[in-house]
Amino acid sequence: MRKNDVGNPGAGTGETPKLNPSPSERAPQLKKSRTITAGDGAAAAAVAAAGANFQGPLFPAWRRSATSPLNLTVAVDDPSDAPASGVLDRDWCYPSFLGPYPSRPRLPPPPKKKQLDPLPIQPRRASAFQKPPDRAPRSKPPKSFEDAKGVVVLEERKPAVGSSPPPRLPARKTRRLPNSVILLTLGITSIWSAFFAISQRNKILELEEEIINLRRICNGSCVDDCDSTRVLQFEDRDLMYYFGSVDGRTLALYTVVLSLVTPFFLFKYLNYIPRIKSPTKDSKNNEEEVPLKKRIAYRVDVFFSVYPYAKLLALLFATVLLIGFGGLALYGVSDGSLSEALWLSWTFVADSGNHADRVGVGPRIVSVSISSGGMLIFAMMLGLVSDAISEKVDSWRKGKSEVIERNHILILGWSDKLGSLLKQLAIANKSIGGGVIVVLAERDKEEMEMDIAKLEFNFMGTSVICRSGSPLILADLKKVSVSKARAIIVLAADENADQSDARALRVVLSLTGVKEGLRGHVVVEMSDLDNEPLVKLVGGELIETVVAHDVIGRLMIQCALQPGLAQIWEDILGFENAEFYIKRWPQLDGMRFEEVLISFPDAVPCGVKVAANGGKIIINPDDSYVLKDGDEILVIAEDDDTYYPGLIPEIRQGFLPIGSNPPPKYPERILFCGWRRDIDDMIMVLEAFLAPGSELWMFNEVPEKERETKLIDGGLDLSGLTNIRLIHKEGNAVIRRHLENLPLETFDSILILADESAEDSIIHSDSRSLATLLLIRDIQSKRLPSKEAKTNTMRYTGFSHSSWIREMQQASDKSIIISEILDSRTRNLVSVSRISDYVLSNELVSMALAMVAEDKQINRVLEELFAEEGNELCIRPAEYYLYDQEELCFYDIMVRGRERQEIVIGYRLAEAERAIINPTPKTERRKWSLDDVFVVISLEE
């Protein structure tokens, strides 16, 4: 296609141009301008007319905007002066992203000059708004015109769709010698010049030697011989003597200067050093390469990061360089030997004050430079030493160092139960002079130690070591010697029960991944009973679980049905009084259990661990059971080293009182205030304990329909409840108006539960429980008559002579209130203020965890005593075992209790405030009252 045919895409090809091209195919137009082509006669005439009235500049303004053929654009300044042909006012066109611009100020017309011929204008292609001609127009020269007001603009327009772009000229390449080649050439030249100078110097020495020898041969004078010998000794060609000459000192000085300047020169022009490319590298890869300076900086960074002693080595290397170059510089400017200069350089580096006696400008400049470098090096050295010491101290302070202990107790996690747990473990280790307890938690070591110090408890020789770390990380577990611990306790977190159990499961998985294996057993505190089987499945035989909610729930029910049982459990679970122990006594093999029962003057035997039955523990066995080889005895004693078997004492058998059988059970009415996630398990326990016809009122904020769904999902069969009837009441237990709608004066027992909605915050949960307790007590005091005017009505006719049980039954004017308090501090507050009959808190769970940590076999004993089936702790009146004012020893009462298949473990006198478990001495006789009560382990029927 010819150049003149660019404006017509169909010219020369036989194609018919489009009459109505699409907007995308139209050529772009300038804003407020019109392009004039050779075929646009009307527009040309308008321009000519405008030129006749307004004289424009001699040379019209033009600009190049594209690579397409030039087009002529005319614009006028004033829209009112535009002719009828449609030519618009001139407007300087700017890019759209620059935004609107104000009109440029109008300039005065330039002076008239001699008019020259107009520039030849190339014909433009057909406009998108014009009807294309039938054939391609021929190229014609444009008509010359003069515009006094408008400006003729030459513009390059982009070619229309379908037109081929004009060919571009190849870029002219400029050959330029790389800077790297120049630097390399200069370096090679400098090195070659140095070696050439040295060789020339050697040749001069050789010539001087030959001249001296010739003089000595020719003259033969002694003076000459002496001079020649002296010159030969001074001008020896050996390298060592060469550096001893004056020229050698100059060379040494030049070497130092060149060595100091070269690094700065290389650092500045490092990127111009030619890169060594692999011959197999694809030459077509145009990706930008990383500069050599950045690569070197990266390697240095990696070196200092990977190697711990890199800083020290770098400092040592800098010291050696400073001493070496400083010694050479001193050698060059002084008269001493090289070894003396190196020693002086070291003294200047080590002590900056040694350079004060230097004489001369050169020696002083060099000595000051060396001393300055020495001060910098020693400052860096002090910084490194200080950082190392600070880092080590911080690691000790933050608990990052490794614990090197054996046979210690490891506690993983942190919760509000930790204080009580540490107290119980310290009491348990008192008999052995103390032990070591290691705590690993995701807290700062200083905070943990501060919180432990706030307990204000004497640990009696037990050391508590805290370390910061996560139990989920094997490196942190190894840091606390997890494989050498004799017991590991995993505490539940103070958060949602499901999240806490999920975390406990992950911790157990981490413990099973310890390569060295675990020496001791693992005690895991769970929050939900439904999650217990999964943890046992993962952990295997090493795992012992204590479900906190389940323990508290069962204890609350037992304490509600048997007043005074909470204090008994506190004495048995804690290490301050009597607790459970299991030990093997070979001298008792072959004896019957009724004989073993009275063989321990300082302990009360409660059961037998049968070796032939896989180590099963039988609580309250038959009297006829004979101990076999390997059997162990379960006892309640003060400590594991305070009891031993003795001789069988003489016992007066006696007879049980007539009518000492347990009284029949009567229906009861119990109120639950609040909702627990394991409330379905508590209902099943009540179903096993209560008499038929009992009522369980459930008062909480959970909708009634949702309650049934949750109970069924928990595994409770509502249709299978035969002894109790559920009565649902909806309301808020901290609102007095809601509580007043309940018949609070008619309930036998009221259990204030820690509501599930506040389980994430212990303080919030205790606040709700405390508010509910105060409201119930206030409502009951206003509805019920005073205790003096009220007749004492007994729930159990068989307890008519038990003042302690009668007192417990008549607490709160009618109902026994059991409050669940999670924080031990709140428990102490409630107990001191005496606003509640019984308080059960997480402190009991801490006691159970400590007991299972000392001996995992005790967990099976506790599980059976807490369960609704099997043996349990009970409180019996004295009238079951003796007559009023009968004189008996504790052994006599124990033997009488065996006639009822019970094991008597303690008693509480009528005038005493607390019960005594495992009394001593057991052979002491005393008179008993019917108001006294006894604590027994009985098989509930």
Side-chain angles (χ1 to χ4, degrees), residues 617-777:
I617 299 177
I618 301 177
I619 302 176
N620 189 15
D622 296 334
D623 291 339
S624 59
Y625 180 82
V626 179
L627 268 69
K628 301 178 180 59
D629 185 17
D631 290 351
E632 301 179 23
I633 307 299
L634 170 68
V635 301
I636 295 179
E638 185 70 21
D639 207 340
D640 57 349
D641 58 351
T642 59
Y643 71 98
Y644 55 89
L647 299 177
I648 300 177
E650 295 182 0
I651 303 300
R652 188 176 63 178
Q653 183 71 27
F655 299 96
L656 290 177
I658 301 175
S660 61
N661 295 326
K665 295 182 179 180
Y666 293 94
E668 297 188 39
R669 177 179 287 186
I670 299 177
L671 172 64
F672 280 180
C673 289
W675 181 273
R676 287 166 52 108
R677 60 173 51 247
D678 60 344
I679 199 170
D680 53 324
D681 299 323
M682 298 180 67
I683 294 176
M684 288 189 288
V685 174
L686 283 176
E687 171 68 17
F689 282 140
L690 294 181
S694 301
E695 293 181 356
L696 176 60
W697 289 55
M698 302 177 65
F699 177 70
N700 49 70
E701 296 181 272
V702 181
E704 184 176 349
K705 295 182 180 179
E706 187 176 348
R707 295 181 194 178
E708 296 181 357
T709 304
K710 289 185 175 182
L711 293 177
I712 294 175
D713 293 341
L716 179 63
D717 185 10
L718 297 178
S719 59
L721 298 177
T722 58
N723 295 334
I724 60 176
R725 182 172 64 93
L726 299 181
I727 299 176
H728 297 279
K729 295 294 181 180
E730 186 176 348
N732 193 340
V734 297
I735 299 178
R736 184 185 185 92
R737 177 171 49 85
H738 293 177
L739 289 173
E740 289 178 346
N741 296 329
L742 300 175
L744 298 178
E745 68 279 3
T746 63
F747 294 108
D748 298 301
S749 301
I750 298 177
L751 277 65
I752 302 176
L753 309 177
D755 200 89
E756 182 183 8
S757 61
E759 66 180 0
D760 293 341
S761 175
I762 292 180
I763 297 178
H764 186 200
S765 177
D766 288 353
S767 300
R768 289 179 59 90
S769 300
L770 188 60
T772 303
L773 173 62
L774 294 173
L775 290 175
I776 291 177
R777 290 294 298 270

Side-chain angles (χ1 to χ4, degrees), residues 146-450:
E146 184 177 0
D147 188 357
K149 197 173 183 179
V151 180
V152 178
V153 181
L154 295 179
E155 181 186 20
E156 286 188 280
R157 304 296 300 276
K158 293 183 179 180
V161 179
S163 62
S164 60
R168 297 182 179 179
L169 295 178
R172 182 177 299 175
K173 298 183 179 179
T174 303
R175 294 188 177 181
R176 183 180 179 183
L177 191 62
N179 294 334
S180 59
V181 177
I182 298 176
L183 294 176
L184 182 61
T185 304
L186 291 176
I188 295 174
T189 304
S190 302
I191 296 174
W192 180 83
S193 300
F195 281 104
F196 181 75
I198 294 174
S199 63
Q200 293 299 320
R201 177 62 180 172
N202 291 334
K203 290 181 180 181
I204 292 174
L205 293 178
E206 292 177 358
L207 292 176
E208 290 180 354
E209 182 182 0
E210 292 179 0
I211 292 174
I212 293 173
N213 291 333
L214 290 175
R215 286 180 179 178
R216 185 180 57 184
I217 295 172
C218 295
N219 299 328
S221 62
C222 181
V223 178
D224 292 338
D225 290 340
C226 295
D227 293 338
S228 63
T229 303
R230 185 167 55 253
V231 171
L232 284 176
Q233 291 177 355
F234 186 76
E235 298 288 351
D236 196 281
R237 289 178 297 173
D238 193 2
L239 183 62
M240 182 62 66
Y241 294 98
Y242 172 73
F243 278 104
S245 63
V246 179
D247 295 333
R249 297 179 185 274
T250 305
L251 181 61
L253 187 60
Y254 288 161
T255 302
V256 172
V257 174
L258 182 62
S259 301
L260 294 178
V261 172
T262 301
F264 297 97
F265 181 79
L266 290 177
F267 181 77
K268 184 174 182 180
Y269 298 100
L270 195 61
N271 293 333
Y272 297 101
I273 296 178
R275 299 174 183 144
I276 302 175
K277 297 183 178 180
S278 175
T280 59
K281 187 176 180 181
D282 188 7
S283 60
K284 296 182 179 180
N285 188 7
N286 295 327
E287 295 182 0
E288 183 181 359
E289 297 182 359
V290 180
L292 182 60
K293 187 185 298 184
K294 290 186 178 181
R295 283 185 286 170
I296 294 177
Y298 171 73
R299 295 300 178 187
V300 173
D301 185 16
V302 171
F303 178 75
F304 278 95
S305 301
V306 173
Y307 299 98
Y309 299 102
K311 295 181 180 179
L312 185 61
L313 293 176
L315 186 61
L316 179 62
F317 182 71
T319 305
V320 172
L321 286 182
L322 180 60
I323 294 174
F325 285 111
L328 287 177
L330 283 176
Y331 173 71
V333 298
S334 61
D335 298 334
S337 61
L338 180 60
S339 59
E340 185 68 20
L342 291 175
W343 174 253
L344 287 176
S345 177
W346 158 247
T347 59
F348 295 161
V349 171
D351 187 1
S352 58
N354 286 339
H355 69 281
D357 57 348
R358 293 293 94 188
V359 178
V361 178
R364 287 181 177 178
I365 292 176
V366 175
S367 60
V368 168
S369 301
I370 297 174
S371 300
S372 301
M375 288 188 291
L376 179 62
I377 287 177
F378 271 88
M380 295 173 61
M381 183 180 297
L382 289 177
L384 290 178
V385 173
S386 177
D387 290 344
I389 295 176
S390 300
E391 184 178 356
K392 193 64 178 178
V393 173
D394 289 343
S395 66
W396 293 339
R397 180 174 56 84
K398 295 180 180 179
K400 296 181 179 180
S401 59
E402 184 177 357
V403 175
I404 304 176
E405 296 288 347
R406 299 177 65 89
N407 296 328
H408 59 284
I409 295 180
L410 176 60
I411 300 177
L412 303 179
W414 187 278
S415 68
D416 292 335
K417 306 182 188 70
L418 184 64
S420 302
L421 181 59
L422 292 177
K423 291 180 182 179
Q424 297 300 324
L425 293 175
I427 296 172
N429 295 328
K430 179 181 178 180
S431 59
I432 59 176
V436 178
I437 303 174
V438 181
V439 181
L440 178 64
E442 298 181 23
R443 296 187 61 192
D444 187 71
K445 178 175 178 290
E446 292 182 343
E447 294 181 1
M448 291 189 287
E449 293 176 347
M450 188 179 299

Side-chain angles (χ1 to χ4, degrees), residues 886-904:
E886 186 177 3
E887 186 176 350
L888 299 171
C889 67
F890 192 75
Y891 274 136
D892 297 336
I893 299 176
M894 292 177 63
V895 172
R896 292 187 181 185
R898 292 305 298 167
E899 297 182 15
R900 297 172 50 87
Q901 293 299 317
E902 297 174 347
I903 298 178
V904 183

